[in-house]
Amino acid sequence: MELINYLNKTFFTKQQLLDVSKVTEQQLLKYQQDGVMPKCSYRLNLTFKSDSFLGEYNDVQEVEYYAKGYSSWLAIVQSLDSKDVIYSVFSTRYKAAINQLNEQGHYSENPKITSGLDAHIQEEWQHFLNGTYGLCTKSGLPEDIAAKEFSIIVINELSQPNQLTSEQTNKLRLAVDLLDSASSWFAPHERLTSSRHRLVNEIRRKYQLEKKQ
């Protein structure tokens, strides 16, 4: 029940997404087949058995869960008719998020977010379409994806040595706080193996970083 409670609180079911977005199941499927709309992040196969004085009842259902941010992305997909244009929206928003992070003081020379940014975004687009980021970020949208990937790059760069300068420690703290703000809580059975546990909880513990209030 803890898993179902988490999913129902955090995500839209497919039917809820359809209702909010005013699209049919067939339209959603076509957008996914066309490679412009993410797949679900979780799929549950549920077996029900009920017994009452009226008799026994058995049923099997499949429930798909989608990041709530996907409703706004679906609105973009509905308003545009070209896969290239839809991808350009994703890319432009991703780059704008990186630029904003730079302006806020987050910094890395990693090629993924400098010279190789275009190729990196193409890879991120595929993960986005597979529903991966609907699972591991709060919104599933380009801004949270960029924040998550940027922060992971910085954390991995800084968490190799055991001893950090005060400047490096502050940079690490900012990156961990950024990942914390963009990352989902993950389903209960996933938490101890999640990137949040490894790169937020454990890095804070290892380097005695105070949690952002």
Side-chain angles (χ1 to χ4, degrees):
M1 287 299 294
E2 190 177 1
L3 171 61
I4 294 177
N5 289 339
Y6 169 76
L7 295 178
N8 287 335
K9 179 180 179 181
T10 310
F11 295 86
F12 283 145
T13 64
K14 178 166 67 174
Q15 189 58 55
Q16 288 172 327
L17 178 64
L18 297 177
D19 291 343
V20 167
S21 304
K22 309 300 181 186
V23 301
T24 66
E25 186 173 0
Q26 291 72 26
Q27 287 174 312
L28 175 62
L29 179 60
K30 185 178 186 304
Y31 292 144
Q32 292 172 326
Q33 292 173 338
D34 289 345
V36 293
M37 181 66 198
K39 298 177 182 177
C40 65
S41 295
Y42 290 92
R43 181 181 289 106
L44 294 189
N45 291 297
L46 304 175
T47 301
F48 298 94
K49 182 177 181 180
S50 173
D51 190 11
S52 71
F53 75 94
L54 292 178
E56 187 176 290
Y57 172 74
N58 294 281
D59 191 20
V60 177
Q61 293 184 14
E62 182 178 89
V63 184
E64 294 182 356
Y65 288 90
Y66 292 81
K68 291 183 176 179
Y70 286 174
S71 61
S72 66
W73 184 258
L74 191 48
I76 292 171
V77 171
Q78 290 176 274
S79 67
L80 302 173
D81 59 1
S82 165
K83 181 175 180 178
D84 289 341
V85 174
I86 294 170
Y87 173 75
S88 73
V89 172
F90 180 89
S91 179
T92 298
R93 286 174 57 172
Y94 199 106
K95 290 178 180 178
I98 294 294
N99 289 335
Q100 185 174 25
L101 290 171
N102 290 150
E103 292 171 359
Q104 293 172 351
H106 298 279
Y107 177 76
S108 173
E109 294 183 350
N110 190 293
K112 281 188 175 182
I113 49 178
T114 53
S115 60
L117 181 58
D118 286 334
H120 174 64
I121 292 176
Q122 288 178 350
E123 293 180 1
E124 297 295 86
W125 172 248
Q126 294 305 315
H127 294 308
F128 171 71
L129 293 178
N130 287 336
T132 303
Y133 286 118
L135 183 155
C136 63
T137 68
K138 288 182 177 176
S139 70
L141 297 174
E143 292 74 18
D144 274 348
I145 299 172
K148 177 179 174 65
E149 292 305 305
F150 196 117
S151 59
I152 288 175
I153 286 170
V154 174
I155 291 169
N156 286 335
E157 288 174 345
L158 290 173
S159 61
Q160 300 306 317
N162 289 321
Q163 296 296 323
L164 300 178
T165 66
S166 59
E167 182 179 354
Q168 289 173 324
T169 300
N170 185 58
K171 185 178 179 182
L172 180 61
R173 181 183 295 107
L174 290 175
V176 171
D177 288 346
L178 178 63
L179 181 57
D180 192 5
S181 69
S183 180
S184 73
W185 286 102
F186 290 87
H189 66 281
E190 299 168 330
R191 288 174 187 166
L192 287 179
T193 58
S194 69
S195 56
R196 167 180 280 279
H197 179 73
R198 187 176 70 256
L199 298 176
V200 175
N201 300 339
E202 288 301 296
I203 292 296
R204 279 178 173 155
R205 181 190 61 78
K206 180 178 178 179
Y207 292 95
Q208 298 182 330
L209 303 177
E210 293 183 4
K211 185 176 180 178
K212 183 180 179 181
Q213 300 298 318

